Amino acid sequence: MPSQGQTAAVRRDRWTILVSLSTLVLLSWLYLWIDAGQMDMMSTPADTMGSSAMAGEMVAGPWQPESLLLTFIMWAVMMVGMMLPSAMPAILLYGRLARKRETNSPLPAVWLFSAGYLTVWSLFSLAATLLQATFESERLLSPMLTSTSIWLSAALLMLAGLYQWLPLKNACLDKCRSPLALFLMHWRPGGQGAFHMGAEHGLYCVGCCWALMLLLFVAGVMNLLWVAVIAGFVLIEKLLPRGRLFSHAAGIGLILVGAGLLIAGF
């Protein structure tokens, strides 16, 4: 039986992790809210000519270093706000295991685990940045970063829907839903091991959710309601008891909506 002091230490670790990660999530959403407000002001000029000029300006130089950097920061912060809430149970579980296996405080290992997890999502953000720049170069996105092409929207919806049913998606979702076996079988001690384990868990989460993230291009990358809906979807399929059933049902819905757009496009 753990002593009263050990129980208090575990509880203190848990609250420290929860408060720290929740603060990071809230700051991420605050940044996105401010960024979305600024973009909305920039994309609503007084007249039609101004609107056309703004649209032309926003798609004229998507490959400029400054534009790429700001876009990358936006995506990276967005992934923190969207993915960290659903990863908190796994991070807390890792913290409990680290307290049992490590001689010192588990908190440094938890921060390194979280850093490894977010590093993988930052790499995804880099890929999303390049994809967004490509779409902007081809004039497939509006100034609010919403798809202007029925074909692109239909393709992304159907891709996400089909991926919900693929074995790779199911395998990655299983790892995200039940990380205990992964942690026990692939435990790595020390700071480097913590970072590596966090990155490994992040890889499974990217493998589970990358297609869903591309749906941001359908209704608007900076449409915070759409961002919240996708984040909520990820939370449900990863944490609720019938998450896989929910995931498959949503896949069918996405395929049907994408097919409907294709039909409307003919």
Side-chain angles (χ1 to χ4, degrees):
M1 291 289 293
S3 66
Q4 187 174 4
Q6 289 174 326
T7 302
V10 170
R11 187 180 300 113
R12 184 172 61 250
D13 290 344
R14 179 181 180 85
W15 278 107
T16 300
I17 295 168
L18 280 174
V19 171
S20 301
L21 296 181
S22 297
T23 300
L24 184 57
V25 170
L26 289 174
L27 289 175
S28 300
W29 279 95
L30 177 61
Y31 176 91
L32 294 175
W33 179 70
I34 294 174
D35 202 23
Q38 292 176 341
M39 183 173 291
D40 185 56
M41 290 176 61
M42 290 175 61
S43 62
T44 53
D47 53 56
T48 305
M49 182 178 296
S51 178
S52 300
M54 177 65 68
E57 180 181 347
M58 294 185 71
V59 298
W63 294 102
Q64 295 299 315
E66 298 85 354
S67 177
L68 288 173
L69 177 60
L70 290 174
T71 301
F72 169 75
I73 292 174
M74 177 193 70
W75 275 98
V77 171
M78 189 181 300
M79 292 304 102
V80 172
M82 294 180 72
M83 297 307 302
L84 203 52
S86 65
M88 282 188 191
I91 295 173
L92 289 170
L93 174 61
Y94 174 81
R96 291 200 299 270
L97 295 175
R99 170 162 284 280
K100 294 179 180 179
R101 291 171 176 259
E102 305 290 340
T103 57
N104 300 319
S105 169
L107 292 180
V110 169
W111 306 142
L112 287 169
F113 179 92
S114 302
Y117 179 84
L118 293 177
T119 295
V120 173
W121 276 107
S122 294
L123 293 175
F124 170 84
S125 299
L126 178 60
T129 296
L130 299 178
L131 184 61
Q132 178 177 319
T134 301
F135 287 160
E136 288 187 79
S137 296
E138 299 298 325
R139 299 184 180 273
L140 295 175
L141 297 179
S142 72
M144 282 300 291
L145 306 180
T146 304
S147 171
T148 58
S149 167
I150 290 180
W151 309 105
L152 176 61
S153 297
L156 293 176
L157 286 164
M158 296 182 72
L159 172 64
L162 288 170
Y163 190 70
Q164 295 297 103
W165 285 84
L166 294 185
L168 177 60
K169 161 75 179 191
N170 292 328
C172 291
L173 181 58
D174 286 343
K175 297 293 185 181
C176 290
R177 288 175 56 85
S178 304
L180 179 60
L182 176 68
F183 292 165
L184 293 178
M185 294 176 61
H186 299 275
W187 186 267
R188 295 170 181 264
Q192 185 176 356
F195 185 89
H196 188 280
M197 290 178 66
E200 186 174 6
H201 185 63
L203 283 173
Y204 283 115
C205 285
V206 170
C208 175
C209 303
W210 67 269
L212 292 172
M213 296 302 138
L214 297 185
L215 294 179
L216 291 168
F217 290 115
V218 176
V221 175
M222 294 307 297
N223 183 333
L224 295 191
L225 177 60
W226 190 243
V227 173
V229 167
I230 296 178
F233 179 91
V234 170
L235 197 68
I236 289 172
E237 74 169 1
K238 288 175 66 174
L239 301 184
L240 289 191
R242 296 186 178 274
R244 175 176 286 189
L245 179 62
F246 176 79
S247 175
H248 287 169
I252 294 175
L254 290 170
I255 292 171
L256 292 176
V257 173
L261 285 180
L262 279 181
I263 295 172
F266 283 108

